Amino acid sequence: MSKPIRMCINCRQRFYQDELSRLRCEEKKIYAYGGVGRSFYICKSCLEDKNLSKNLARICKTDPASALKMLKEIIDNG
């Protein structure tokens, strides 16, 4: 049986789903994926990329500084 392949929103490369961090946006806030709603993926190498905040802000329709802050909170807690 084959593994699902998904794309990182930042570098646009494809990875196996279990190699990526899965997140979701709701009301201009970023959350860890909880099993309901649309989600997006970020690869581990892009978590330190300087352009990530801009891409997160575009997806969640928020400003880059707060998007990066929310992502750091998720990573630190989880």
Side-chain angles (χ1 to χ4, degrees):
M1 190 164 119
S2 64
K3 291 182 179 180
I5 296 176
R6 301 291 183 257
M7 185 169 53
C8 173
I9 61 155
N10 195 52
C11 65
R12 315 288 286 176
Q13 292 184 21
R14 297 182 188 277
F15 299 91
Y16 289 117
Q17 186 175 1
D18 57 358
E19 297 174 3
L20 299 166
S21 298
R22 190 172 186 181
L23 305 167
R24 68 180 174 93
C25 287
E26 187 175 306
E27 298 175 4
K28 297 186 178 187
K29 297 198 185 293
I30 301 171
Y31 300 99
Y33 185 70
V36 178
R38 294 182 62 98
S39 63
F40 59 92
Y41 296 89
I42 301 174
C43 69
K44 290 166 183 41
S45 62
C46 285
L47 289 174
E48 301 299 322
D49 187 19
K50 63 182 178 183
N51 294 327
L52 180 60
S53 61
K54 183 173 65 172
N55 289 327
L56 282 174
R58 179 179 47 82
I59 287 176
C60 292
K61 298 176 177 77
T62 186
D63 63 287
S66 64
L68 198 56
K69 181 182 171 194
M70 286 183 269
L71 178 65
K72 288 191 184 296
E73 287 176 8
I74 292 169
I75 292 170
D76 291 342
N77 294 334

